[in-house]
Amino acid sequence: MIELIAATNNANKLREFRQILGNDFKVMSLKEVGISVDVEEDADTFYGNALKKAKVISELTGKASLADDSGLIVDALGGAPGVYSARYGGEDGNDVLNRQKLLKEMDGISDRKARFHSTIVLYFPSGEVIRAEGNVEGEILYEETGDNGFGYDNLFYSIDLGESFGTATEEAKNGVSHRGRALQQLVEKLNQR
Ligand code: IMP
């Protein structure tokens, strides 16, 4: 059993980590270990932000820490919102404003191709870093579809699932998602270690 601390205040990500990693891992939240910090995501790459979050939490706790930095990459918008996905609408973590801005920017655009990306970092107190990545391909919908998930989920049509992440079950989404794929790669790397 591998014990690690999830370097996130996002309850949705924490739930996905636990579901995807299953019983071989004990995933503890920041709350459970009595830590209240919001690590500033000031790097301009997914890896830079994930590394920063995992390192800060591992150094604070003396335990292994797992961080994800993720976002939505839209081809017709030159890769935006990308690493700035959480604050695209102007307010950090405001999913409603983020989706409104995305729909506005995509108004009149017929090339809807997009993907979610996740970079995962597992940082050990020894300084060892394991890095993993995952992507899921899709298209930006013309309107919000479904109430499941979080962030941009209900504007994302998954090609693998043939439906919006907003209507997919959590299990279905985690089976194909960027975070699901990155975590599977992480587990493979841990097994080869
Ligand atoms: P960060 O990794 O905390 O910087 O935030 C990533 C942002 O990307 C989130 O606030 C969401 O807006 C978006 N995002 C990342 N993963 C997902 C997902 O699985 N579904 C929907 N939106 C996501």
Side-chain angles (χ1 to χ4, degrees), residues 13 41 69-71 85-86 116 150-153 173 178-179:
K13 282 192 188 179
E41 300 187 20
D69 200 59
S70 47
S85 292
F116 277 118
F150 70 100
Y152 300 94
D153 274 342
K173 177 189 167 189
H178 50 314
R179 202 165 297 105

Side-chain angles (χ1 to χ4, degrees), residues 21-98:
L21 289 171
N23 293 334
D24 292 340
F25 291 81
K26 183 173 180 197
V27 180
M28 286 170 294
S29 65
L30 292 175
K31 214 170 162 186
E32 280 164 338
V33 295
I35 288 188
S36 158
V37 283
D38 209 2
V39 181
E40 201 194 341
E41 300 187 20
D42 52 6
D44 55 9
T45 61
F46 292 111
Y47 177 64
N49 283 323
L51 179 64
K52 183 176 180 192
K53 288 188 267 190
K55 185 169 189 271
V56 167
I57 299 305
S58 178
E59 286 177 350
L60 267 175
T61 59
K63 296 191 186 314
S65 176
L66 178 76
D68 150 280
D69 200 59
S70 47
L72 178 68
I73 296 164
V74 181
D75 287 352
L77 301 179
V83 76
Y84 306 109
S85 292
R87 52 195 137 122
Y88 191 47
E91 214 177 84
D92 197 23
N94 189 326
D95 291 343
V96 174
L97 288 182
N98 289 341

Side-chain angles (χ1 to χ4, degrees), residues 6-21:
T8 183
N9 290 309
N10 181 328
N12 296 290
K13 282 192 188 179
L14 180 68
R15 205 177 50 248
E16 290 188 6
F17 283 161
R18 287 182 169 145
Q19 275 185 356
I20 296 164
L21 289 171

Side-chain angles (χ1 to χ4, degrees), residues 137-141 153 155-159 161-165:
E137 296 293 326
E139 283 168 19
I140 302 303
L141 292 161
D153 274 342
L155 286 178
F156 187 82
Y157 173 87
S158 160
I159 291 167
L161 297 181
E163 67 175 317
S164 162
F165 272 176

